[in-house]
Amino acid sequence: MTLVIFLVLMALAIPVGLVLALTAVFYIWNSDNTILFQSYGSQFFSAIENYGLLAIPLFILVGELMNEGGLTQRLIQFARVFFGGVRGGLAYINLLANMMMAAILGSAVAQIAIMSQAMVPEMEKEGYDKTVATSVTASAGILGAIIPPSMMFVIFGVLAQVSIGNMFVAGLIPGILLGLGMLVVIFFIGLKNPYPKGQWLTPKEALKATLNAIPALLIPVVIILGILLGITTPTESAGVACLIALLVGLFGYKELKISTLPALLKRTVISTSTVVFLIAAAGVFGWTITYEQIPEKVAMWITASTNNPIVFLFLVCALLMAIGTVLDGIAALILVVPILLPIATMNYGIDTYHFGVIICIVLVLGLLTPPVGSGLFVASSITGIKPGKLFIGLLPFLLVVSLIVCLLVIFPVLTTGLI
């Protein structure tokens, strides 16, 4: 009956956080264990009593400060130094700029929104097909959920109670592989439909673009090196990155205005509240499914099907691809980690970081697949390309991402090698 209530609430398009909280309430009431109501509030808040979660609002704030402070445009111009004169250079610039932005924003949807506004009109102006331009932008945007710092990695680290810094390190090689895979796709699309010819920047323009980008490039350097060298925690590096973005926007590029800060902070608070409430509600939901011994029951069912860890991971990937088409990636992550992680580690001996990177990549594919696909619809609404047409344009990129996931499943060293 509890499952029916959960599915009905989801079908009514009620926000996922409320669905999880209400389902937990119904379970307690329906099971006659009403004494559990006394623990409901404490369970709700204990889910967010974690220092690591402080990184979420800070990374959201970094993205807002960058966008308002003109750092995004400097990174795009810097990418022109490397690919400006190549045929189809703007497509490669788009990808490179997305990889640099991914090392700062940590949110795929935010990145897709920002880059769709910045890159698609520019590519269309230079003669690129609008669908191709949007497909490149949206697919490259999912790197924001994989290349550190990643909001999904932060949440997984909190749920799994493992080092968020190590999660970031585990995502480095997969993030680079995804970027290279997308670069190959862009190359082959260009063979079928020749891109417009690019134009190299003059030495003077290239030098200016590089110098202008240095302050913006300090942010990913501070975040990643601070974590890798053990100088800062992910939360501390996010705080330092916020300070750099604020100072560069105000006094370096002088595009960030004091008058815009209240609205900027309000957007940060709203975005943070949505994510944190979802985590809190999922904490209560996870508490009830643990009380009902659902993870143990699922473990018995899966282990009866296979005792091979690679087969198990492929089964999990297939399941999560299906879940990702109807649930937001973060919501799905919060739902499945309490159930699947104990099975992966205890029954199959799979490394926690290996498992975390794989499920985060698989779930982020749901951002670009119907019927929910928040990243798909964000790009569609900004550029005016119909979601169905855009999804067809995204298929080659989704295929390459799926192939890279297969590599990660078979070769765990690609995720654990740097830890």
Side-chain angles (χ1 to χ4, degrees), residues 176-221:
I176 293 170
L177 287 176
L178 288 171
L180 292 174
M182 290 180 183
L183 188 148
V184 172
V185 173
I186 292 171
F187 173 78
F188 280 105
I189 291 175
L191 292 181
K192 183 179 178 182
N193 301 298
Y195 295 125
K197 191 176 185 307
Q199 184 176 357
W200 289 110
L201 297 177
T202 66
K204 185 178 179 180
E205 290 171 334
L207 179 62
K208 182 180 178 182
T210 302
L211 293 176
N212 281 340
I214 288 175
L217 290 171
L218 278 176
I219 296 175
V221 169

Side-chain angles (χ1 to χ4, degrees), residues 117-176:
Q117 293 171 329
M119 289 302 302
V120 174
E122 193 71 21
M123 291 179 72
E124 194 178 11
K125 190 192 305 179
E126 293 196 14
Y128 288 80
D129 178 79
K130 194 173 186 179
T131 302
V132 171
T134 308
S135 299
V136 171
T137 306
S139 59
I142 68 173
L143 295 171
I146 305 302
I147 293 180
S150 159
M151 195 180 301
M152 290 188 74
F153 283 2
V154 171
I155 294 171
F156 178 84
V158 170
L159 294 172
Q161 297 184 340
V162 295
S163 165
I164 296 171
N166 282 346
M167 274 301 298
F168 287 174
V169 174
L172 284 174
I173 294 176
I176 293 170

Side-chain angles (χ1 to χ4, degrees), residues 19-289:
V19 170
L20 297 176
L22 292 173
T23 302
V25 169
F26 178 82
Y27 165 77
I28 295 172
W29 174 75
N30 190 52
S31 64
D32 291 328
N33 291 318
T34 52
I35 194 172
L36 295 178
F37 278 123
Q38 297 177 15
S39 302
Y40 186 92
S42 62
Q43 290 292 334
F44 197 90
F45 285 102
S46 66
I48 55 176
E49 290 179 339
N50 189 297
Y51 173 74
L53 288 177
L54 186 59
I56 292 176
L58 291 174
F59 281 128
I60 292 174
L61 180 58
V62 170
E64 291 284 355
L65 289 169
M66 280 191 59
N67 201 34
E68 288 284 343
L71 283 75
T72 305
Q73 289 299 327
R74 267 70 176 192
L75 290 177
I76 293 172
Q77 190 65 13
F78 176 62
R80 288 180 180 272
V81 174
F82 301 97
F83 292 106
V86 179
R87 180 173 290 278
L90 207 50
Y92 297 111
I93 289 166
N94 192 343
L95 177 62
L96 183 60
N98 266 287
M99 292 185 73
M100 289 189 288
M101 290 288 290
I104 301 168
L105 291 180
S107 168
V109 175
Q111 187 165 320
I112 290 171
I114 291 170
M115 298 304 285
S116 293
Q117 293 171 329
M119 289 302 302
V120 174
E122 193 71 21
M123 291 179 72
E124 194 178 11
K125 190 192 305 179
E126 293 196 14
Y128 288 80
D129 178 79
K130 194 173 186 179
T131 302
V132 171
T134 308
S135 299
V136 171
T137 306
S139 59
I142 68 173
L143 295 171
I146 305 302
I147 293 180
S150 159
M151 195 180 301
M152 290 188 74
F153 283 2
V154 171
I155 294 171
F156 178 84
V158 170
L159 294 172
Q161 297 184 340
V162 295
S163 165
I164 296 171
N166 282 346
M167 274 301 298
F168 287 174
V169 174
L172 284 174
I173 294 176
I176 293 170
L177 287 176
L178 288 171
L180 292 174
M182 290 180 183
L183 188 148
V184 172
V185 173
I186 292 171
F187 173 78
F188 280 105
I189 291 175
L191 292 181
K192 183 179 178 182
N193 301 298
Y195 295 125
K197 191 176 185 307
Q199 184 176 357
W200 289 110
L201 297 177
T202 66
K204 185 178 179 180
E205 290 171 334
L207 179 62
K208 182 180 178 182
T210 302
L211 293 176
N212 281 340
I214 288 175
L217 290 171
L218 278 176
I219 296 175
V221 169
V222 165
I223 292 173
I224 295 174
L225 283 185
I227 294 169
L228 287 178
L229 298 177
I231 299 171
T232 58
T233 66
T235 302
E236 290 165 349
S237 67
V240 174
C242 283
L243 180 61
I244 294 173
L246 178 65
L247 294 177
V248 170
L250 285 174
F251 307 112
Y253 300 145
K254 298 181 180 178
E255 292 189 20
L256 182 64
K257 307 299 180 187
I258 296 292
S259 59
T260 64
L261 289 180
L264 183 151
L265 292 171
K266 181 180 178 181
R267 292 195 300 271
T268 301
V269 169
I270 292 172
S271 299
T272 301
S273 301
T274 302
V275 175
V276 172
F277 178 78
L278 185 57
I279 294 171
V284 174
F285 185 81
W287 168 58
T288 59
I289 64 173

